[in-house]
Amino acid sequence: MTIDESNRPSLWQSYYGPNLGYLQEQYEKYKQDPNSVDEGYRELFERNGEPVAPAAPVSGTASEHGTSTPGKVDTNLLKKAVAAERLVWNIRTYGHLAADIDPLGLSAPSDVRLLDPEQYGLSQRDLSQLPASLIWENAPDEARDGWEAIQILRKKYTGPLAYEFAHVHDEQERNWLNRQVETNSASQTLTDEERLDLLHRLVEVEQFEEFLHKTFVGQKRFSIEGNDALVPMLDTIVRIAARGGARHVLMGMAHRGRLNVLAHVLNKPYAKIFSEFHHSPNKDMMPSEGSMGINFGWTGDVKYHLGARYSLTDEGQSYETRLTLANNPSHLEYVNPVVEGFTRAAQDDRSEKGYPRQDKDKAAAIIMHGDAAFAGEGIVAETLNFNQLPGFQNGGTIHIIVNNRLGFTTDSKDSRSTHYASDLAKGYEIPVIHVNADDPEACIRAAEMAMQYRNLFKKDFLIDLIGYRRYGHNEADDPETTQPLMYGKVKNHLRVASIYGNRLAERNIAPTDQYEKYKNEIQDQMKTTYDEVKRDETQSTFGPVNPAGEGAAHASNQTAVSASLLNKINEGLLAWPENFNVYPKLQRILERRRGALEPEGRVDWGHAETLAFASILAEGKPIRITGQDAERATFAHRNLVLHDAKTGEAFCPLHRLPEAKASFAIHNSPLSEAAVIGFEYGYNVYAPETLVIWEAQYGDFVNAGQVLIDQFISAGRSKWTQKSSLVMLLPHGYEGMGPEHSSARPERFLQLAGEDNFTIANLTSASQYFHLLRRQALSTETEEARPLVVMSPKSLIRNPRVTAPASELSEGSFRPILEQAGLGGNKDAVERVILCTGKVAIDLEEALEKEKDTDFSWLHIIRVEQLYPFPKEEISNVLAGFKNLQQVIWLQEEPQNMGYWTYTEPRLRALSGGIEVSYIGRPERSSPASGYQHVHAIEQQRILTSALKPNSLKNNISLGR
């Protein structure tokens, strides 16, 4: 850009001293990187070039006290200005260390010297000589100079709200956050009417806990007292979310404060809560753990683990927002990924082919954490990592640490290594506000800022609500044995409703008796409600409001797909975009599928899976599949996301399939099991029409998600009437790959199996997999909906013995057992029946073929494809046909104390009619598999040899070293 040299002196002549020096400093930054300075400076320098000092006058003397002669920069004042800028930065960065965020005054004073001007060689006089706007761009009009600006700024950053934003790398976000703190916005000030509403809400929260405490003495409730402001904060967040377009607000929390949130945020009637306490079977004995019975065929859960749903309609508005508080066991933070999955499911439109269309404004998530659990449980970090991942982000979650400074009975010094409970969040660039729970208006401001940031930047925000815990870990616990000093202060500390009521009275906003008036009204209301509950002794609290399966449709078994449709789908799957360069090696593999549906063709495992997915989409059923390598699959059998060999561009054939009528989401997940399993479970629960699949990299890795499996997937239906049809694909099989790449621990799933809560399968045919996936898809949203666990193959994926003719896909259905072809023809000759499952059945088939000239008329083999529910009728029918049967053998490649033996033995004995039931397999072991290939091969051969020798059990062949 051309610069008019004649204009330069006239433009810059009004600048001198530190102002001119500051401009010159900005210009140096501008020369190195124009984007490093504000837009206004960029425009100024583009128009006018370098700031130059005007010519010095012929005569004149420098003024005193650091001013300078025009044309000459006073370097001393320039240094003072730079030092003042550093002071401003450090007040923003470290002001939280001096903030008033400790209601009980328990924390040791922090080193706050970085907030003092003296640390930078600045005196009051020095700062008074600097214009306020020079050192602080957001300085208000009342700041007449730099000294006053610093006092105002420090007050903003060291009050009942403390801010940590310096770790946010995005300059636009950080500047926005700082402006929110530093500029006085009218929206941050409550009206007198809003203040009275806030007081009323606090009294409701307080009196609810007081009533429970006095009425149901000794019963656990895990009260919110000490962090009462959580409820009006949630009110604020929900209101802003709803008015911003959220039709779903999904919440997760541990047990502390849950009853209060249920009562006041989700509007669970007082009568129902009181009834649960009143009818508790052990209310007169030990502190109550439960309030639900088992007369409806479900086990129920304790009342402070239960969730709820509530629909909110704003007055004068036409929208309705659905609030959901997720059920949560005592594993505290493990509900976090479940809520994230709920939220993404609520945001996704799955009605059209391709990836689902996400509307981040349609749903919002709020997760409440414990201070010790947030720092201590790894699931927290796994879930925070979802923040910006394409397949898992949800446009920002509001995190609230309900910080009572204790973990069970443990002080903070014993439960974390960080200064704050919230410090983990800084690693994910999540803005953090610490707020004093005894200042309700500050809490509301924190909630407002959190939601404004979330709505603007679509990212997570964390509020550290610092309060205390009025009672022990539960109301029957004496906390003074471990925290005598803390509870000495708690006893003499006014509750927040009283504090706030006094504050409003001092400001003449409320009468001095307003708190007592609210208190009496609320107490009367609760007493009246409880009297009604006591009068209605017939009222039952047992059983769910909507028992699982009540009124549900039943699934269809029609899983076959016509040959004509399969052929159309197959052609569509191989129709790649014009000029798309499929990786040549992969293209050759995929091209083989063109003839796989011909009469002489065979469908392998990966092809059967793709055809199943495509046919499910053609029926309008959305699919979501994730896993650490889901796009390709660990063993490269899936390859549903192709990458252009020249450009790297990605393409998924299922997204352009003409027959598809619903979305197909496929995402590689982060290297996490627990959080991803929880997310997919949550997604499936909230979008039950969707076939949701999680694939482990190796089945062994499912170990890392055991809490989600035990507490949610296995028991959620029984405890909470929460149905799921989640599919878990767990690669399993003994191929000499060592103890961490062999077993998906089927014994654990079988031990968890009860009340038809799972389907557990280990398959030996591609057509079986095709039909099982389709059966699972048809079961969603029906009474048959339940999680499916598949011990999926590794080496079998490419084994020709697992392939199937196309006719098996277009005809028939899933079969719980398969009989070995070529055996059992002479039923009277059969003396031994071997039952097995999975890969070892194929190993047996191969061994039989090697000895095809041997007479095996005495032997029959049954492959148990579905382990649970156990196909006893099908097995019994086969066994009944062998009149001379002498032995029933369970054969497995897993150690005897693992795998299936302890599950199948009693069931086989019940079916055998007194015939001997024996075991062939590896002996009991502490490790699931050998780490040595040659040892594995020897053991595997012994198992097969024992199975195929008529007198092997009598000869007592050793199976192991």
Side-chain angles (χ1 to χ4, degrees):
M1 183 175 183
T2 304
I3 303 210
D4 186 349
E5 298 288 337
S6 63
N7 286 337
R8 248 194 229 179
S10 60
L11 174 71
W12 301 118
Q13 66 184 1
S14 59
Y15 294 90
Y16 61 90
N19 287 346
L20 180 61
Y22 180 74
L23 284 170
Q24 290 171 330
E25 181 183 290
Q26 293 297 308
Y27 184 74
E28 289 301 317
K29 292 181 180 179
Y30 166 79
K31 285 199 299 183
Q32 294 178 11
D33 178 10
N35 292 323
S36 66
V37 300
D38 289 342
E39 185 178 354
Y41 286 123
R42 287 200 298 273
E43 294 177 355
L44 187 67
F45 298 145
E46 286 170 1
R47 288 197 306 269
N48 303 288
E50 181 181 1
V52 294
V58 175
S59 60
T61 57
S63 61
E64 297 179 353
H65 308 308
T67 58
S68 63
T69 303
K72 183 178 180 181
V73 175
D74 185 325
T75 56
N76 185 49
L77 273 182
L78 181 57
K79 289 178 180 178
K80 299 291 185 185
V82 172
E85 188 178 355
R86 284 175 52 212
L87 172 59
V88 168
W89 172 265
N90 282 333
I91 288 173
R92 288 169 171 162
T93 305
Y94 302 109
H96 59 87
L97 296 174
D100 178 21
I101 54 174
D102 183 3
L104 298 180
L106 294 169
S107 300
S110 299
D111 184 350
V112 294
R113 287 175 292 178
L114 283 172
L115 310 182
D116 294 332
E118 291 81 2
Q119 285 292 112
Y120 307 88
L122 295 170
S123 66
Q124 180 174 349
R125 184 175 184 180
D126 293 332
L127 289 169
S128 297
Q129 291 177 343
L130 298 173
S133 59
L134 175 65
I135 63 172
W136 178 22
E137 67 274 18
N138 296 324
D141 294 339
E142 65 262 27
R144 294 172 296 180
D145 54 42
W147 172 258
E148 292 188 0
I150 291 297
Q151 304 313 305
I152 295 171
L153 187 69
R154 178 162 176 158
K155 184 177 180 182
K156 288 180 179 292
Y157 280 93
T158 61
L161 286 161
Y163 309 94
E164 290 191 274
F165 302 149
H167 58 279
V168 177
H169 294 166
D170 188 292
E171 187 175 11
Q172 179 188 8
E173 292 178 31
R174 194 172 61 251
N175 288 341
W176 182 90
L177 290 162
N178 288 334
R179 282 197 301 272
Q180 293 301 302
V181 178
E182 297 167 16
T183 57
N184 291 319
S185 170
S187 65
Q188 294 179 327
T189 303
L190 299 180
T191 65
D192 289 352
E193 182 181 359
E194 288 171 334
R195 290 185 173 105
L196 288 172
D197 288 341
L198 177 55
L199 174 62
H200 188 270
R201 191 56 141 178
L202 292 170
V203 179
E204 280 184 321
V205 171
E206 172 192 281
Q207 290 306 305
F208 174 76
E209 300 288 1
E210 275 288 288
F211 185 83
L212 293 180
H213 191 67
K214 293 176 180 177
T215 307
F216 306 105
V217 177
Q219 291 201 52
K220 295 179 185 178
R221 69 180 192 278
F222 298 99
S223 81
I224 202 173
E225 292 161 283
N227 286 98
D228 309 51
L230 174 65
V231 168
M233 288 172 70
L234 292 175
D235 290 339
T236 300
I237 293 169
V238 168
R239 183 178 64 252
I240 294 173
R243 291 177 179 173
R247 300 288 76 90
H248 305 260
V249 176
L250 298 311
M251 295 181 281
M253 67 186 302
H255 42 274
R256 186 161 308 284
R258 176 177 286 260
L259 294 178
N260 218 306
V261 170
L262 284 169
H264 297 118
V265 181
L266 285 96
N267 272 19
K268 183 174 182 178
Y270 285 160
K272 185 166 180 58
I273 296 173
F274 297 162
S275 182
E276 289 173 354
F277 276 94
H278 183 67
H279 291 90
S280 182
N282 56 355
K283 63 180 183 293
D284 297 322
M285 299 165 61
M286 298 299 291
S288 170
E289 277 290 352
S291 61
M292 300 297 179
I294 59 172
N295 21 350
F296 285 86
W298 72 304
T299 63
D301 200 355
V302 293
K303 48 192 160 283
Y304 40 78
H305 291 171
L306 300 177
R309 291 174 178 169
Y310 170 65
S311 292
L312 167 74
T313 304
D314 198 16
E315 291 183 14
Q317 303 292 328
S318 59
Y319 63 78
E320 181 180 274
T321 297
R322 178 187 184 188
L323 311 185
T324 302
L325 178 63
N327 303 295
N328 190 23
S330 276
H331 286 73
L332 306 177
E333 302 290 334
Y334 277 83
V335 76
N336 299 357
V338 177
V339 173
E340 301 287 354
F342 281 1
T343 310
R344 181 61 179 260
Q347 293 174 345
D348 281 351
D349 180 352
R350 295 168 289 276
S351 61
E352 296 180 7
K353 63 185 174 184
Y355 280 106
R357 295 192 310 276
Q358 184 184 9
D359 180 353
K360 295 175 184 177
D361 292 323
K362 190 177 177 182
I366 309 167
I367 299 179
M368 290 150 273
H369 310 268
D371 49 308
F374 189 85
E377 295 195 358
I379 192 74
V380 176
E382 291 185 32
T383 307
L384 292 179
N385 190 44
F386 289 152
N387 190 3
Q388 294 300 304
L389 301 184
F392 300 87
Q393 51 77 19
N394 59 27
T397 296
I398 304 300
H399 301 272
I400 304 174
I401 296 179
V402 187
N403 191 339
N404 56 43
R405 315 285 294 277
L406 290 171
F408 199 74
T409 66
T410 306
D411 292 319
S412 299
K413 63 181 175 62
D414 297 315
S415 62
R416 67 172 188 265
S417 297
T418 56
H419 185 81
Y420 293 117
S422 58
D423 283 345
L424 174 67
K426 293 195 286 189
Y428 298 92
E429 296 188 49
I430 298 172
V432 176
I433 293 180
H434 310 276
V435 60
N436 190 323
D438 273 359
D439 192 323
E441 291 189 26
C443 293
I444 299 302
R445 288 201 297 275
E448 289 175 343
M449 185 188 294
M451 274 308 293
Q452 289 165 2
Y453 176 87
R454 186 265 178 201
N455 289 343
L456 182 60
F457 296 106
K458 309 303 181 192
K459 292 183 179 179
D460 289 16
F461 198 102
L462 187 144
I463 301 170
D464 182 16
L465 176 65
I466 303 176
Y468 56 91
R469 191 176 72 194
R470 180 154 291 277
Y471 298 101
H473 175 69
N474 61 65
E475 288 67 31
D477 182 37
D478 181 3
E480 293 190 71
T481 59
T482 49
Q483 276 82 28
L485 298 181
M486 174 185 287
Y487 280 91
K489 291 191 173 188
V490 169
K491 282 181 178 179
N492 299 310
H493 190 76
L494 278 180
R495 301 179 188 226
V496 65
S498 298
I499 293 172
Y500 191 55
N502 293 340
R503 191 176 301 163
L504 295 186
E506 290 168 3
R507 293 158 64 183
N508 295 320
I509 295 172
T512 55
D513 64 346
Q514 188 67 58
Y515 165 78
E516 290 295 331
K517 180 182 177 184
Y518 286 157
K519 176 180 173 180
N520 293 334
E521 290 173 355
I522 294 164
Q523 280 185 341
D524 290 344
Q525 176 191 350
M526 287 190 284
K527 286 176 184 175
T528 301
T529 301
Y530 182 55
D531 288 342
E532 291 172 358
V533 169
K534 285 196 298 182
R535 281 195 299 272
D536 186 10
E537 290 293 336
T538 61
Q539 180 177 351
S540 172
T541 61
F542 302 127
V545 176
N546 180 25
E550 184 177 295
H554 289 270
S556 167
N557 307 335
Q558 303 304 313
T559 56
V561 177
S562 70
S564 59
L565 179 57
L566 286 174
N567 278 289
K568 285 182 184 177
I569 286 172
N570 202 44
E571 286 301 313
L573 291 170
L574 296 172
W576 303 310
E578 189 177 355
N579 300 322
F580 187 87
N581 303 288
V582 181
Y583 179 61
K585 180 180 177 181
L586 178 58
Q587 182 170 359
R588 289 193 297 272
I589 294 170
L590 295 176
E591 287 286 359
R592 293 180 201 148
R593 296 181 175 180
R594 289 193 188 276
L597 301 184
E598 298 298 324
E600 301 302 319
R602 305 284 293 185
V603 176
D604 65 18
W605 191 273
H607 194 188
E609 179 185 75
T610 303
L611 290 171
F613 288 166
S615 64
I616 291 166
L617 295 173
E619 292 166 359
K621 179 76 63 177
I623 300 173
R624 174 183 167 91
I625 178 169
T626 68
Q628 287 153 22
D629 308 277
E631 293 181 358
R632 188 199 78 165
T634 303
F635 306 102
H637 74 273
R638 183 170 297 123
N639 293 300
L640 280 177
V641 176
L642 308 178
H643 297 271
D644 191 294
K646 295 181 180 179
T647 67
E649 180 185 356
F651 165 69
C652 178
L654 288 170
H655 289 165
R656 285 184 37 173
L657 191 70
E659 290 77 16
K661 298 183 181 69
S663 66
F664 179 74
I666 182 166
H667 298 284
N668 290 333
S669 73
L671 196 65
S672 157
E673 283 77 39
V676 177
I677 291 172
F679 188 100
E680 302 308 335
Y681 173 80
Y683 194 107
N684 177 233
V685 167
Y686 214 78
E689 80 285 2
T690 308
L691 180 64
V692 179
I693 303 170
W694 175 73
E695 182 177 57
Q697 191 177 68
Y698 284 89
D700 313 61
F701 300 169
V702 77
N703 291 342
Q706 201 64 45
V707 172
L708 271 302
I709 292 165
D710 288 358
Q711 305 298 331
F712 290 85
I713 297 172
S714 169
R717 181 186 182 111
S718 177
K719 291 193 295 186
W720 311 314
T721 73
Q722 189 161 282
K723 287 188 289 186
S724 166
S725 57
L726 177 68
V727 179
M728 292 188 286
L729 303 178
L730 312 178
H732 172 88
Y734 280 56
E735 291 131 341
M737 298 184 69
E740 271 71 60
H741 296 88
S742 296
S743 178
R745 298 289 192 170
E747 66 277 0
R748 294 182 180 169
F749 291 97
L750 292 170
Q751 186 183 44
L752 290 169
E755 302 177 291
D756 288 342
N757 63 330
F758 277 125
T759 301
I760 302 172
N762 193 354
L763 312 177
T764 58
S765 164
S767 60
Q768 285 279 85
Y769 184 43
F770 174 87
H771 288 296
L772 185 61
L773 285 174
R774 287 187 45 77
R775 187 180 77 171
Q776 185 71 4
L778 290 170
S779 75
T780 62
E781 298 183 281
T782 74
E783 169 59 10
E784 279 78 24
R786 56 178 51 81
L788 168 63
V789 181
V790 181
M791 302 292 125
S792 57
K794 296 180 292 179
S795 64
L796 293 192
I797 285 171
R798 292 175 178 82
N799 192 315
R801 297 180 185 277
V802 175
T803 61
S807 59
E808 290 190 5
L809 277 58
S810 58
E811 301 170 9
S813 59
F814 177 75
R815 291 175 287 171
I817 65 170
L818 297 177
E819 297 182 65
Q820 178 64 49
L823 295 180
N826 183 354
K827 293 184 181 297
D828 291 340
V830 173
E831 296 179 352
R832 174 186 290 183
V833 171
I834 295 175
L835 295 100
C836 56
T837 187
K839 184 188 75 68
V840 75
I842 302 299
D843 292 344
L844 275 174
E845 185 177 285
E846 291 175 348
L848 284 168
E849 189 169 297
K850 289 176 183 177
E851 300 185 35
K852 56 186 175 183
D853 295 331
T854 304
D855 178 12
F856 284 110
S857 60
W858 54 274
L859 176 67
H860 194 49
I861 297 173
I862 300 173
R863 301 179 188 178
V864 182
E865 303 276 293
Q866 177 178 292
L867 280 304
Y868 186 84
F870 192 67
K872 59 183 180 181
E873 184 176 342
E874 291 87 345
I875 294 173
S876 180
N877 289 340
V878 174
L879 295 181
F882 304 124
K883 304 302 182 185
N884 297 313
L885 186 63
Q886 297 178 21
Q887 291 179 328
V888 173
I889 293 175
W890 178 263
L891 181 144
Q892 66 180 39
E893 53 188 357
E894 299 82 2
Q896 187 172 2
N897 57 320
M898 301 178 196
Y900 317 91
W901 169 241
T902 56
Y903 166 78
T904 58
E905 181 191 14
R907 290 165 174 79
L908 292 178
R909 291 196 188 282
L911 297 178
S912 66
I915 296 171
E916 177 188 357
V917 176
S918 304
Y919 166 84
I920 294 178
R922 286 175 170 81
E924 291 185 354
R925 294 268 169 80
S926 58
S927 176
S930 172
Y932 302 102
Q933 178 66 241
H934 69 282
V935 173
H936 161 79
I938 292 170
E939 291 183 336
Q940 199 78 357
Q941 186 57 48
R942 284 177 177 170
I943 292 170
L944 300 175
T945 300
S946 298
L948 301 181
K949 285 189 175 180
N951 298 317
S952 57
L953 296 182
K954 294 178 183 177
N955 294 336
N956 193 25
I957 292 178
S958 172
L959 301 180
R961 296 179 295 163

